[in-house]
Amino acid sequence: MTIREQESVKGNDPDRTIISAALTGALTTRDQCEEIPYTPAEIAEDAAAAREAGAAIAHIHARTENGSPTFDTDVYREIHDEIRERTDIVINFSTGALDVPPEERIEYVEEVGPEIAALNMGSMNYAKYSDSRDEFVFDMVFENPFDEIRRFVTAMEEAGVRPELECFDTGHVGNTRPLLEQSELTHPLQFSLIMGVLGGIPATVENLAHQVRQLPASANWQVIGISRDQWPLVAAALSMGGNVRVGLEDNFYLPDGEMATNAELVAHAATLADSVGREPATPDEARAIMGLD
Amino acid sequence: MTIREQESVKGNDPDRTIISAALTGALTTRDQCEEIPYTPAEIAEDAAAAREAGAAIAHIHARTENGSPTFDTDVYREIHDEIRERTDIVINFSTGALDVPPEERIEYVEEVGPEIAALNMGSMNYAKYSDSRDEFVFDMVFENPFDEIRRFVTAMEEAGVRPELECFDTGHVGNTRPLLEQSELTHPLQFSLIMGVLGGIPATVENLAHQVRQLPASANWQVIGISRDQWPLVAAALSMGGNVRVGLEDNFYLPDGEMATNAELVAHAATLADSVGREPATPDEARAIMGLD
Amino acid sequence: MTIREQESVKGNDPDRTIISAALTGALTTRDQCEEIPYTPAEIAEDAAAAREAGAAIAHIHARTENGSPTFDTDVYREIHDEIRERTDIVINFSTGALDVPPEERIEYVEEVGPEIAALNMGSMNYAKYSDSRDEFVFDMVFENPFDEIRRFVTAMEEAGVRPELECFDTGHVGNTRPLLEQSELTHPLQFSLIMGVLGGIPATVENLAHQVRQLPASANWQVIGISRDQWPLVAAALSMGGNVRVGLEDNFYLPDGEMATNAELVAHAATLADSVGREPATPDEARAIMGLD
Amino acid sequence: MTIREQESVKGNDPDRTIISAALTGALTTRDQCEEIPYTPAEIAEDAAAAREAGAAIAHIHARTENGSPTFDTDVYREIHDEIRERTDIVINFSTGALDVPPEERIEYVEEVGPEIAALNMGSMNYAKYSDSRDEFVFDMVFENPFDEIRRFVTAMEEAGVRPELECFDTGHVGNTRPLLEQSELTHPLQFSLIMGVLGGIPATVENLAHQVRQLPASANWQVIGISRDQWPLVAAALSMGGNVRVGLEDNFYLPDGEMATNAELVAHAATLADSVGREPATPDEARAIMGLD
Ligand SMILES: [Zn+2]
Ligand SMILES: [Zn+2]
Ligand SMILES: [Zn+2]
Ligand SMILES: [Zn+2]
């Protein structure tokens, strides 16, 4: 192999991998992990540290000062400006949440204009089962019907924001087809393959290969694994020519079980990239690879 | 190859394929296809004709006399009795519907006791896009959260009814895992792999092979394809050692575009089975293969 | 699915399948199957009958009058002319044999100029094991080193003959890479995926899907299955948008175990094509699909 | 994912990976890489250092003092004894070579009795193409017919040596079937999946997943990648629950392009294992995992 000879590279750069840092998330708190940034300044500090460690993209959920999720445009704007004061990292805003109306989840994207915003590409159960307690910890339906997806696509296009297509299952990749037919989505596409959420596609290398096979030849893609089990997926994705996402939204731990900071998680991903002969892309290299202006 | 040497056979019989006839469905009417049976007697006649043509299982949705869906226990009981007067076909009741509360969709199963009942294994978008009209014909979220799935599993187990696990995507197969851990589901499992609903896994032979790979070695499985495009999936499934479902719920047409009866659709599936060296199982053979008592 | 939406179609025509008839082969005799044609006239008669039954290509090994293989240019020329007197079928000559020097196996191709000639793309064990007798029936090394492959490619290109790339394993498909780099092979490529020879890739639908994945997007491909077990492979290939080869070289039997003629085998393949909504291509349609002049 | 939930683990240990060190090989010399050990003492020193770095198995080809390959029993015995004086690493002897008669390649195995010996499971082209020079560097047929394979299996069984099944393509895995039917091979099987030799299966993660799918559920397996491009395969295999081989036989370089010693290559593989949450097995742990007595 050279990585460049694999079909799985698709539109990615075989030599340079784009590392995203998912700095905050919405579901976890400092009770679980002290290192989660809450305020715009804390988030911006982590973005800058992640960039130093090798990240090219910061994926962001806003929080209030006590850590609860917020969809306030002013907070998102402040995060944006605090990051831009410190570093050139690509800024990516979440738009996903359970039980928050779509208009609230897109307004700050339209107003603040990040370079990228996440777009959930389908519905599914979103659950967690505890093997040790032998019970479901939570169990919801994550609803993203087509009319909402299309509304987000249109809003992002008008705002000049690149949609990052979040695919939790095989069908979610297939859901791009009618949007492409209607020219609502246009190439190149940027995919996140989320693996291991109960309700979506299970997290195996075999399934990752399957998801990647579905993608158009020009697509950019990254893998998103959940919990400490993300590291084997990161290693497999790097070997396939993929991009990767790490950060406290997805996982608190290094492979040895130590709790880490966002920058430490990014640094470990960068070391893994080196270990297979690839190098982390800088933000500007990432912009070029993804065709962001 | 002999079919028996393929991993994809799983718990099926390599020599005998089980043909299911989905006689009615819930969404289509006689305006679209005159041959759809409505009344218990009509459904039972079609069940008997399908059995003669090679079907071992009749999958049934009840209808009122004017064709609208009903969840009335008495109607289901009448269908059951009318079929049993005519033929030994295995009886399989649907439990799925959009916007009907779960208790209504399980009561007739508990009361009437078919041998098998369908169980939807996850949530997804359920949509239809028209290429010719360039628009979405419908667009819904098909909600099947875990608490509902578990409630259905429990009810079926208590009623001695075998659940048929309806999987519309890769994650739906994975959703069996926590239920197996909790011993709510027990082996052998019986899977239906539905392909080609917009929102779920696209209908390709590659994807069918992928779905089958996820299944436990002892599982029975059938493919369900939607619309006239089902025939290539039927042929591929037969070649992999799979069982198949046809009938007016899924598709009105023979491969040449002629509209057909339930019995004619079953007869074409039986011919395809012969064409690859397999034979349709009788209802009693099907019971033995699936371990139904 | 519509067949056209599957990646596996590659450069084939989703609506029209090209059926090849492998009329003679080299290894079997009339002691085993009375219907095998030996003389040029017999072969040409079978070619014409196969064409009537739906074949677009006749794949041919020459025989002497007593049935042993021959590489005599005059015999090949006579076969060619006898076929052309009777029918417009595309003519395809074998070039493979064990223990015959390469110059003998290419001369008649250069001299007679069929439209297509077979080209074995790699080496492997070529063996047969009898389960009933619990022993190896034969066990050879089928040698096709790169220098020989390249010599054949060059000779075919100079003679204006399209090479049909015979791939018995995954590596054989990969062997096209250096030849493409050197521009010895040029697109569109035409592949035969032979499955089920002991020593090469086992005959499963899963493996067929894997082989097809390796092919360039513009490639034509057909499946070749050996023995009566070919029928499930034929059905699967038709469902994936593939072309298919049948005929007495590969298999004597219909799926029900009846011994058949070449025309009957082709007719069964044509029926299978109809059964999944595809139609056999005529020779001229096949020429257009494959880009033969 | 946890690695243990992936089918691809097969009979391997999800937590502990077995690292093999291929210390010498037969084709390369100190002109190319100074660190290649030649003498029994040099080989034994490297085996001990590799063991310290994390290797559980030493795979060995004997050399004369000037570095040419030798099949001399005395040399193999001396290597064996020199290693045993220094370390408890599992000893694995090669049996493969081009143009050396089989009796010469098995005698030292029978006489010296390593714990494991390599067994090539099929024939193929064995070639190398230089992109820069645009020509074939070498081009041979690697012949391993069934009668030779069976002779080696029998000899190993009689000598109490575990065969390591070297599979260079999909068919080579399939070649185990008749040997299992004849009880010449017995479970558990130990596979090496060699990837990237021109003539065999190309080195992609997709192809690695395909090869692993073919293996019996109880099988042990490792990946062997050739040249500096091995590192992505090592990372992918570790993520799938696989074992891995590194060492100067396969590759001289760390991912950054630095030439390395055997121990340094092993150390990098061990770091990669840590990076995905797995640990190198000790020789005794490896013996337990593989069922070696
Ligand atoms: Zn997020
Ligand atoms: Zn139904
Ligand atoms: Zn031939
Ligand atoms: Zn070796």
Side-chain angles (χ1 to χ4, degrees):
Chain A
M1 154 156 74
T2 61
I3 281 171
R4 79 180 55 247
E5 280 159 25
Q6 296 186 91
E7 290 287 328
S8 53
V9 180
K10 304 281 178 174
N12 290 342
D13 186 308
D15 299 320
R16 296 187 180 268
T17 189
I18 300 171
I19 301 176
S20 287
L23 302 173
T24 47
L27 298 173
T28 52
T29 66
R30 286 206 184 130
D31 293 341
Q32 296 162 278
C33 171
E34 283 190 355
E35 301 289 353
I36 299 173
Y38 284 171
T39 67
E42 287 166 357
I43 291 173
E45 284 298 316
D46 265 29
R51 195 272 192 240
E52 285 314 297
I57 301 177
H59 169 77
I60 290 167
H61 297 243
R63 303 266 197 152
T64 63
E65 282 186 18
N66 65 21
S68 49
T70 175
F71 302 91
D72 189 297
T73 294
D74 290 339
V75 180
Y76 270 103
R77 192 186 319 272
E78 197 181 338
I79 293 169
H80 187 276
D81 295 346
E82 293 275 355
I83 292 175
R84 269 294 159 271
E85 277 174 31
R86 287 170 178 82
T87 180
D88 63 345
I89 202 163
V90 178
I91 298 178
N92 170 327
F93 283 175
S94 169
T95 61
L98 292 152
D99 294 322
V100 178
E103 53 275 16
E104 266 189 66
R105 290 185 281 115
I106 189 66
E107 192 188 343
Y108 57 87
V109 170
E110 296 173 305
E111 296 295 323
V112 182
E115 291 169 271
I116 302 172
L119 174 62
N120 295 299
M121 284 302 295
S123 301
M124 59 184 290
N125 287 347
Y126 203 112
K128 183 168 182 174
Y129 179 78
S130 164
D131 281 319
S132 53
R133 285 149 54 188
D134 210 25
E135 64 178 29
F136 283 83
V137 180
F138 56 84
D139 166 24
M140 291 169 288
V141 178
F142 185 41
E143 301 192 38
N144 298 288
F146 274 103
D147 64 349
E148 213 168 279
I149 294 170
R150 296 166 72 200
R151 177 175 175 173
F152 276 51
V153 170
T154 304
M156 289 184 197
E157 180 165 354
E158 284 171 8
V161 173
R162 166 74 59 88
E164 176 189 79
L165 311 170
E166 313 286 322
C167 296
F168 293 76
D169 211 339
T170 307
H172 295 196
V173 179
N175 287 350
T176 55
R177 197 183 69 82
L179 305 182
L180 285 164
E181 303 244 333
Q182 295 196 312
S183 303
E184 295 184 350
L185 280 178
T186 50
H187 294 284
L189 301 179
Q190 184 179 335
F191 286 92
S192 287
L193 305 171
I194 301 105
M195 308 198 70
V197 173
L198 180 56
I201 197 166
T204 66
V205 175
E206 172 96 28
N207 280 344
L208 176 58
H210 178 71
Q211 287 288 69
V212 173
R213 280 205 289 274
Q214 320 291 312
L215 306 180
S218 63
N220 293 113
W221 64 271
Q222 71 174 353
V223 77
I224 300 179
I226 305 302
S227 87
R228 179 175 159 195
D229 298 320
Q230 77 178 179
W231 295 114
L233 287 175
V234 167
L238 289 169
S239 301
M240 295 167 74
N243 300 321
V244 298
R245 190 176 99 177
V246 296
L248 293 173
E249 173 171 351
D250 301 330
N251 163 41
F252 304 149
Y253 303 100
L254 293 170
D256 63 5
E258 288 291 304
M259 211 176 257
T261 63
N262 276 310
E264 287 165 348
L265 294 165
V266 169
H268 188 62
T271 299
L272 261 167
D274 288 341
S275 292
V276 301
R278 299 180 74 199
E279 228 174 303
T282 64
D284 278 346
E285 289 169 342
R287 287 180 181 98
I289 294 165
M290 297 188 291
L292 292 170
D293 301 331
Chain B
M1 156 156 74
T2 61
I3 281 172
R4 79 180 57 247
E5 280 159 25
Q6 297 186 91
E7 291 286 329
S8 53
V9 180
K10 304 281 177 171
N12 289 341
D13 186 308
D15 299 321
R16 296 186 181 268
T17 188
I18 300 170
I19 300 175
S20 285
L23 302 172
T24 48
L27 298 173
T28 53
T29 66
R30 285 204 186 134
D31 293 341
Q32 297 162 278
C33 172
E34 283 190 356
E35 301 289 352
I36 300 172
Y38 283 171
T39 67
E42 287 167 356
I43 291 172
E45 285 297 315
D46 264 29
R51 195 272 190 240
E52 284 315 296
I57 301 178
H59 169 77
I60 290 166
H61 297 243
R63 303 268 197 150
T64 63
E65 282 186 18
N66 64 19
S68 49
T70 175
F71 302 91
D72 189 297
T73 295
D74 290 340
V75 180
Y76 269 104
R77 192 186 319 274
E78 197 181 338
I79 293 169
H80 188 277
D81 296 347
E82 292 275 356
I83 292 175
R84 270 295 158 270
E85 276 175 30
R86 287 169 179 83
T87 180
D88 63 345
I89 202 164
V90 176
I91 297 177
N92 171 328
F93 283 174
S94 168
T95 62
L98 291 152
D99 293 323
V100 179
E103 53 275 16
E104 267 189 64
R105 291 184 282 115
I106 189 66
E107 191 188 345
Y108 57 86
V109 170
E110 298 174 305
E111 296 296 321
V112 182
E115 290 169 272
I116 301 173
L119 175 62
N120 295 300
M121 284 302 295
S123 300
M124 61 186 288
N125 287 348
Y126 202 112
K128 184 169 182 173
Y129 179 78
S130 164
D131 281 318
S132 52
R133 286 152 53 189
D134 210 25
E135 63 177 30
F136 283 83
V137 181
F138 56 84
D139 166 24
M140 290 170 289
V141 178
F142 186 40
E143 301 191 38
N144 297 288
F146 274 104
D147 65 349
E148 214 169 279
I149 294 169
R150 296 166 72 200
R151 177 175 176 174
F152 276 52
V153 170
T154 304
M156 290 184 197
E157 181 167 353
E158 283 170 9
V161 173
R162 166 73 58 90
E164 177 189 77
L165 311 170
E166 312 285 323
C167 296
F168 293 76
D169 212 338
T170 307
H172 295 195
V173 178
N175 287 349
T176 55
R177 197 182 71 82
L179 306 182
L180 285 164
E181 302 244 333
Q182 295 196 311
S183 304
E184 295 184 350
L185 280 178
T186 50
H187 293 282
L189 300 179
Q190 184 180 336
F191 286 92
S192 287
L193 305 171
I194 300 105
M195 308 198 71
V197 173
L198 180 56
I201 197 166
T204 66
V205 174
E206 173 96 25
N207 280 343
L208 176 58
H210 179 71
Q211 287 288 69
V212 172
R213 279 206 289 275
Q214 320 289 314
L215 307 179
S218 63
N220 294 112
W221 66 271
Q222 73 174 352
V223 77
I224 300 179
I226 306 302
S227 86
R228 179 177 157 193
D229 297 321
Q230 77 178 180
W231 295 115
L233 287 175
V234 167
L238 289 169
S239 300
M240 295 167 72
N243 300 321
V244 298
R245 190 175 99 175
V246 295
L248 294 172
E249 173 171 351
D250 301 331
N251 163 40
F252 305 149
Y253 304 99
L254 292 170
D256 62 6
E258 288 291 304
M259 211 176 255
T261 63
N262 276 309
E264 287 165 349
L265 294 164
V266 169
H268 188 63
T271 299
L272 261 168
D274 288 341
S275 291
V276 300
R278 300 180 72 198
E279 229 174 302
T282 64
D284 278 348
E285 289 169 342
R287 288 180 180 98
I289 293 165
M290 297 188 291
L292 293 170
D293 302 332
Chain C
M1 155 156 73
T2 61
I3 281 171
R4 79 179 56 247
E5 281 159 24
Q6 297 187 89
E7 290 287 327
S8 54
V9 180
K10 305 281 177 172
N12 289 341
D13 186 309
D15 298 321
R16 294 184 183 270
T17 188
I18 299 171
I19 301 176
S20 286
L23 301 172
T24 48
L27 299 173
T28 52
T29 66
R30 285 205 184 132
D31 293 342
Q32 296 162 278
C33 171
E34 283 190 357
E35 302 288 353
I36 299 173
Y38 283 172
T39 68
E42 287 167 357
I43 291 173
E45 285 297 316
D46 265 29
R51 196 272 189 240
E52 285 314 298
I57 301 177
H59 169 77
I60 290 167
H61 297 243
R63 303 267 197 149
T64 63
E65 283 186 16
N66 64 22
S68 48
T70 175
F71 303 91
D72 189 297
T73 295
D74 290 340
V75 180
Y76 269 104
R77 192 185 319 273
E78 198 181 337
I79 292 169
H80 187 277
D81 296 346
E82 292 275 356
I83 292 174
R84 270 295 158 271
E85 277 175 30
R86 287 170 177 83
T87 180
D88 63 346
I89 202 163
V90 177
I91 298 178
N92 171 327
F93 283 174
S94 168
T95 62
L98 291 153
D99 293 324
V100 178
E103 53 274 16
E104 267 189 65
R105 291 185 280 117
I106 189 66
E107 192 188 343
Y108 57 86
V109 171
E110 297 173 304
E111 296 296 322
V112 183
E115 291 169 271
I116 301 172
L119 174 61
N120 296 299
M121 284 302 295
S123 301
M124 60 185 290
N125 286 348
Y126 203 112
K128 184 169 181 173
Y129 179 79
S130 164
D131 281 318
S132 53
R133 286 151 53 189
D134 210 25
E135 64 177 30
F136 282 84
V137 181
F138 56 83
D139 166 24
M140 290 168 289
V141 177
F142 185 40
E143 301 192 37
N144 298 288
F146 274 103
D147 65 349
E148 213 168 279
I149 294 169
R150 297 166 71 201
R151 177 174 174 174
F152 276 52
V153 170
T154 304
M156 289 183 197
E157 180 166 353
E158 283 171 9
V161 173
R162 166 74 59 88
E164 176 189 80
L165 311 170
E166 313 285 322
C167 297
F168 294 75
D169 211 338
T170 307
H172 295 195
V173 178
N175 287 349
T176 55
R177 196 183 71 81
L179 306 181
L180 285 165
E181 303 244 333
Q182 295 195 314
S183 304
E184 295 184 350
L185 280 178
T186 49
H187 293 283
L189 301 180
Q190 184 180 336
F191 286 92
S192 287
L193 305 171
I194 301 104
M195 309 198 70
V197 173
L198 181 57
I201 197 166
T204 66
V205 174
E206 172 96 28
N207 280 343
L208 176 58
H210 179 71
Q211 287 288 70
V212 173
R213 280 205 289 273
Q214 320 289 312
L215 306 180
S218 62
N220 294 113
W221 65 271
Q222 71 174 354
V223 77
I224 300 179
I226 306 302
S227 87
R228 178 177 159 193
D229 298 319
Q230 77 178 181
W231 295 115
L233 287 175
V234 167
L238 289 169
S239 301
M240 294 167 73
N243 300 320
V244 299
R245 189 176 101 176
V246 296
L248 293 172
E249 173 171 351
D250 301 329
N251 163 41
F252 303 149
Y253 304 99
L254 294 170
D256 63 5
E258 288 290 304
M259 210 176 257
T261 63
N262 276 309
E264 287 165 349
L265 294 164
V266 169
H268 188 62
T271 299
L272 261 167
D274 288 341
S275 292
V276 300
R278 300 180 73 199
E279 229 175 302
T282 65
D284 278 347
E285 289 169 342
R287 287 180 181 98
I289 293 165
M290 296 188 291
L292 293 170
D293 301 331
Chain D
M1 155 157 74
T2 60
I3 281 170
R4 77 180 57 247
E5 279 159 24
Q6 296 186 92
E7 290 287 328
S8 54
V9 181
K10 304 282 177 172
N12 289 342
D13 186 309
D15 299 321
R16 295 185 181 268
T17 187
I18 299 171
I19 300 175
S20 286
L23 301 173
T24 49
L27 299 173
T28 53
T29 67
R30 286 204 185 133
D31 293 340
Q32 297 162 279
C33 172
E34 284 190 355
E35 301 288 354
I36 300 173
Y38 283 172
T39 67
E42 287 167 356
I43 291 173
E45 285 297 316
D46 265 29
R51 196 272 191 241
E52 285 314 298
I57 302 178
H59 168 77
I60 290 166
H61 297 244
R63 304 266 197 150
T64 64
E65 283 186 16
N66 65 21
S68 49
T70 175
F71 303 91
D72 190 297
T73 294
D74 290 340
V75 180
Y76 270 103
R77 191 185 319 274
E78 198 180 336
I79 293 169
H80 187 276
D81 295 346
E82 292 275 355
I83 293 175
R84 270 295 158 271
E85 277 175 29
R86 287 169 178 82
T87 179
D88 63 346
I89 203 164
V90 177
I91 298 177
N92 170 328
F93 283 174
S94 168
T95 62
L98 291 153
D99 294 324
V100 178
E103 53 275 16
E104 268 189 64
R105 291 185 280 116
I106 189 66
E107 192 188 342
Y108 56 88
V109 171
E110 297 173 305
E111 296 296 321
V112 183
E115 290 169 272
I116 303 172
L119 174 62
N120 295 299
M121 284 302 294
S123 301
M124 60 185 292
N125 286 348
Y126 202 112
K128 183 168 181 174
Y129 178 79
S130 164
D131 281 319
S132 53
R133 286 151 53 190
D134 209 25
E135 63 177 31
F136 283 83
V137 182
F138 55 83
D139 166 25
M140 290 169 288
V141 178
F142 186 40
E143 300 192 38
N144 298 288
F146 275 104
D147 64 350
E148 213 169 279
I149 295 169
R150 296 165 71 199
R151 178 174 174 174
F152 276 53
V153 170
T154 305
M156 289 183 197
E157 180 166 353
E158 282 171 9
V161 173
R162 166 73 59 90
E164 176 188 79
L165 310 170
E166 313 286 322
C167 296
F168 293 76
D169 212 339
T170 307
H172 295 195
V173 178
N175 288 349
T176 54
R177 196 183 71 81
L179 306 181
L180 286 165
E181 303 245 333
Q182 294 196 313
S183 304
E184 294 184 349
L185 280 178
T186 50
H187 293 283
L189 301 179
Q190 183 180 336
F191 286 91
S192 287
L193 304 171
I194 300 105
M195 309 199 71
V197 173
L198 180 57
I201 196 166
T204 65
V205 174
E206 172 97 26
N207 280 344
L208 176 58
H210 178 71
Q211 287 288 69
V212 173
R213 281 206 288 274
Q214 321 289 312
L215 307 180
S218 63
N220 293 112
W221 65 271
Q222 72 174 352
V223 77
I224 300 179
I226 307 301
S227 87
R228 179 177 158 194
D229 297 321
Q230 77 178 179
W231 295 115
L233 287 175
V234 167
L238 289 169
S239 301
M240 295 167 73
N243 300 321
V244 298
R245 190 176 101 177
V246 296
L248 293 172
E249 173 171 351
D250 301 331
N251 163 41
F252 304 148
Y253 303 100
L254 292 170
D256 62 6
E258 287 292 304
M259 210 175 257
T261 62
N262 275 310
E264 287 166 348
L265 293 164
V266 169
H268 187 62
T271 299
L272 261 168
D274 288 340
S275 292
V276 301
R278 300 180 72 198
E279 227 175 303
T282 64
D284 278 347
E285 288 169 343
R287 288 180 181 99
I289 293 165
M290 297 188 290
L292 292 170
D293 302 333

